[in-house]
Amino acid sequence: TQLLEQSPQFLSIQEGENLTVYCNSSSVFSSLQWYRQEPGEGPVLLVTVVTGGEVKKLKRLTFQFGDARKDSSLHITAAQPGDTGLYLCAGAGESGGSNYKLTFGKGTLLTVNP
Amino acid sequence: NAGVTQTPKFQVLKTGQSMTLQCAQDMNHEYMSWYRQDPGMGLRLIHYSVGAGITDQGEVPNGYNVSRSTTEDFPLRLLSAAPSQTSVYFCASSKGTGVGYTFGSGTRLTVV
């Protein structure tokens, strides 16, 4: 059983379209992190959300942490080819456990076509 | 700032051989972790450390050993390589809880 479920698993869109990626769990996390990974490289941190209901914006990317701290979403406005990559959500402090251990979802592979 | 440096980038081992994957960070981060990434499985935690001299097991620790003698270094040892350990290995470090990790660029290991 995957602790963090990401959907969709694959997403192929045209440049200029909007999209939302979801990260869901039945467990409560103390924080959720979003990473972006390109082929042959390690994940790169995009954002950390720690408060239920929190919304953070990073240029065209909007991240939201659910009120109950069990889920999160990533919304991209007007996607560009440079947004192509594997998007990973990761939770820390699952159900009051260690904050040092991250649990990752399987990722959403996004392709933005010119 | 080099960040998190992993060596080697690629390695081929024969079944039964042992080796050490090196990881070094120059950011004075207390927390360090090792993950493996496999197709369809995502990133899974192998071992982690919250400071020099302190290590603990993650989700998939069997077949791997770690030690943390300094803040900077966190090597991962494969005791007797098996084909099931073919994977991409990532080392990561963080300065605190809830602030996110910095990842290295990975070691691609093939065990034949």
Side-chain angles (χ1 to χ4, degrees):
Chain A
T1 303
Q2 189 73 13
L3 196 58
L4 278 171
E5 297 282 351
Q6 279 189 246
S7 62
Q9 192 174 353
F10 301 97
L11 190 54
S12 181
I13 62 172
Q14 294 300 120
E15 182 176 1
E17 293 184 357
N18 302 332
L19 67 115
T20 301
V21 175
Y22 299 93
C23 178
N24 295 303
S25 177
S26 57
S27 298
V28 175
F29 289 93
S30 61
S31 69
L32 268 178
Q33 302 166 17
W34 284 91
Y35 293 82
R36 179 168 163 263
Q37 185 179 22
E38 297 192 32
E41 297 294 328
V44 175
L45 179 69
L46 295 173
V47 78
T48 300
V49 285
V50 297
T51 304
E54 182 177 4
V55 176
K56 280 191 175 179
K57 293 192 175 184
L58 187 65
K59 296 184 180 178
R60 294 176 293 100
L61 279 60
T62 301
F63 304 85
Q64 185 162 9
F65 201 9
D67 291 341
R69 292 188 287 129
K70 292 182 178 182
D71 54 85
S72 181
S73 63
L74 158 60
H75 182 79
I76 301 179
T77 303
Q80 299 176 0
D83 295 326
T84 293
L86 179 67
Y87 288 82
L88 297 158
C89 70
E94 183 255 330
S95 298
S98 171
N99 281 323
Y100 316 119
K101 298 168 64 174
L102 285 184
T103 299
F104 279 85
K106 292 184 179 181
T108 295
L109 186 60
L110 171 66
T111 303
V112 183
N113 302 297
Chain B
N1 255 355
V4 178
T5 302
Q6 290 186 238
T7 55
K9 288 192 178 298
F10 301 94
Q11 183 70 50
V12 178
L13 287 179
K14 293 183 178 179
T15 298
Q17 286 185 320
S18 62
M19 79 160 295
T20 299
L21 279 63
Q22 301 292 342
C23 175
Q25 54 92 6
D26 61 359
M27 298 171 285
N28 202 31
H29 286 174
E30 287 296 318
Y31 308 128
M32 297 187 74
S33 301
W34 276 102
Y35 293 85
R36 59 178 290 174
Q37 187 173 34
D38 303 290
M41 300 294 292
L43 282 148
R44 292 180 293 170
L45 181 64
I46 304 171
H47 285 285
Y48 67 101
S49 169
V50 300
I54 306 169
T55 63
D56 206 347
Q57 296 181 351
E59 182 185 355
V60 288
N62 292 340
Y64 308 95
N65 273 356
V66 292
S67 60
R68 184 98 180 269
S69 56
T70 67
T71 299
E72 295 77 21
D73 300 298
F74 191 42
L76 178 72
R77 298 182 188 83
L78 278 70
L79 309 173
S80 177
S84 61
Q85 294 179 305
T86 293
S87 186
V88 181
Y89 291 84
F90 289 101
C91 179
S93 72
S94 174
K95 65 179 181 181
T97 60
V99 296
Y101 275 81
T102 299
F103 281 78
S105 57
T107 294
R108 184 173 294 275
L109 175 69
T110 302
V111 183
V112 297

